Amino acid sequence: MRALQFSEYGPADVLHVAEVAEPHAGPGQIRIAVRASGVTPGDTYLRSGMFGERLPLPHVPGVDAAGVVDEVGEGVTGVNQGDEVFGLVDLGLLGGANAEFAVLAAWAPKPAALSWEQAGGAAANVETATRALDLLGVRDGTTLLIAGAAGGVGTVAIQLAVARGVKVVGTAGPATQHFVASLGATPVVYGEGLADRAGAVDAVLHCAGTVPDLISIAGSPDRVVTIADLSGDHGIRLTHTAGGPGADPQALHGLAIAAALAEQGAFTVPLAEVFPLTRGADAHRLSETGHAHGKIVLVH
């Protein structure tokens, strides 16, 4: 099969499309013929070597995808060949989705309300946002500040939080205020004076931007969860599922919740840009700017 891969660590230029061996579904897994798959900041961190040279090379990036089931592993029920699904690979493998075929470890039926591109980029951000919201304990009546609300996780977190009855305040640049508002949040411009613009909040989800002001706005470091501050300098909780110390359980229940909301017209996946698989390097470059509004997706 054709797959995006890198054979050495480095800039986006190390990515190329190559012929590689097809994977096959093991127990508890399914394989899909991929129609679209996502690009996450984690993919770019791994490719660059930011986390060290921890992967067997060559490596196929990508952790979420949507497509048509063509293999069903032992012990799997409720899904059949030909079904349309979206989901996640085994996150412990740190990749494998940016290819013609991908093996999924968690999935949900693809909602008709989502295009292939939207579904292909949904699962990772849904899982991440659900995990962060659960850790913060947000529920009906909570006021949540999302810092970096226009990004891939932020746009999804707004919608999932609103569905819980949460009042969401989202930081974004001047040009994306309307975009953030269209998803159900009260938009505010980030930067100096944010505390006054945000008002009283119960919890903060940090997806982008500086951290210290967010702690003072929340009132305590334990009311802030970050997916973006890798420094560990501020005493706030970094949530991740990549294994090792501090890893959190995966919030896979979020996939079915998002699918149901999509069918009700209450959830979508804003797309920053869609690239063909052959332009995987361009997709990584866009991710690395930190200014993608929504999810970056590869089509196959």
Side-chain angles (χ1 to χ4, degrees):
M1 68 173 184
R2 296 168 70 248
L4 185 68
Q5 67 172 29
F6 57 91
S7 301
E8 59 182 314
Y9 294 97
D13 292 340
V14 302
L15 289 164
H16 58 280
V17 174
E19 292 287 335
V20 304
E22 293 182 9
H24 293 283
Q29 300 174 329
I30 61 172
R31 189 179 84 164
I32 62 171
V34 177
R35 297 292 183 86
S37 63
V39 173
T40 69
D43 296 323
T44 69
Y45 300 157
L46 288 166
R47 186 219 69 234
S48 71
M50 178 187 293
F51 295 147
E53 299 182 359
R54 60 187 295 185
L55 300 170
L57 298 180
H59 178 74
V60 176
V63 295
D64 54 359
V68 179
V69 178
D70 78 335
E71 286 184 5
V72 178
E74 180 183 352
V76 174
T77 60
V79 64
N80 299 294
Q81 290 185 357
D83 288 352
E84 298 180 351
V85 300
F86 74 104
L88 293 160
V89 303
D90 177 349
L91 295 181
L93 300 177
L94 303 175
N98 298 154
E100 287 186 309
F101 295 95
V103 171
L104 303 184
W107 59 87
K110 173 191 168 295
L114 298 183
S115 67
W116 281 115
E117 293 84 359
Q118 291 170 321
N125 288 347
V126 166
E127 188 280 327
T128 300
T130 302
R131 175 165 26 97
L133 296 176
D134 287 350
L135 289 171
L136 287 167
V138 298
R139 58 190 183 278
D140 188 14
T142 298
T143 299
L144 171 70
L145 173 64
I146 300 178
V153 172
T155 55
V156 166
I158 290 171
Q159 299 172 83
L160 296 179
V162 168
R164 298 185 182 198
V166 174
K167 177 185 177 183
V168 180
V169 180
T171 72
T176 51
Q177 298 287 293
H178 178 72
F179 172 56
V180 167
S182 72
L183 298 171
T186 299
V188 295
V189 178
Y190 52 74
E192 186 175 351
L194 175 59
D196 292 332
R197 292 190 295 278
V201 304
D202 302 302
V204 176
L205 170 56
H206 173 243
C207 300
T210 58
V211 172
D213 287 349
L214 301 178
I215 297 174
S216 62
I217 290 171
S220 171
D222 63 5
R223 299 305 302 151
V224 183
V225 165
T226 181
I227 65 166
D229 180 25
L230 308 181
S231 70
D233 294 338
H234 302 290
I236 63 176
R237 180 164 184 168
L238 169 67
T239 180
H240 69 89
T241 60
D248 294 307
Q250 297 169 21
L252 301 177
H253 58 283
L255 302 185
I257 292 171
L261 290 171
E263 295 290 21
Q264 298 165 20
F267 179 82
T268 191
V269 180
L271 299 175
E273 194 162 345
V274 177
F275 297 89
L277 190 65
T278 53
R279 291 184 59 199
D282 290 332
H284 274 230
R285 291 188 191 99
L286 176 58
S287 179
E288 289 173 322
T289 68
H291 297 298
H293 300 145
K295 182 77 173 196
I296 301 168
V297 172
L298 301 175
V299 289
H300 301 246

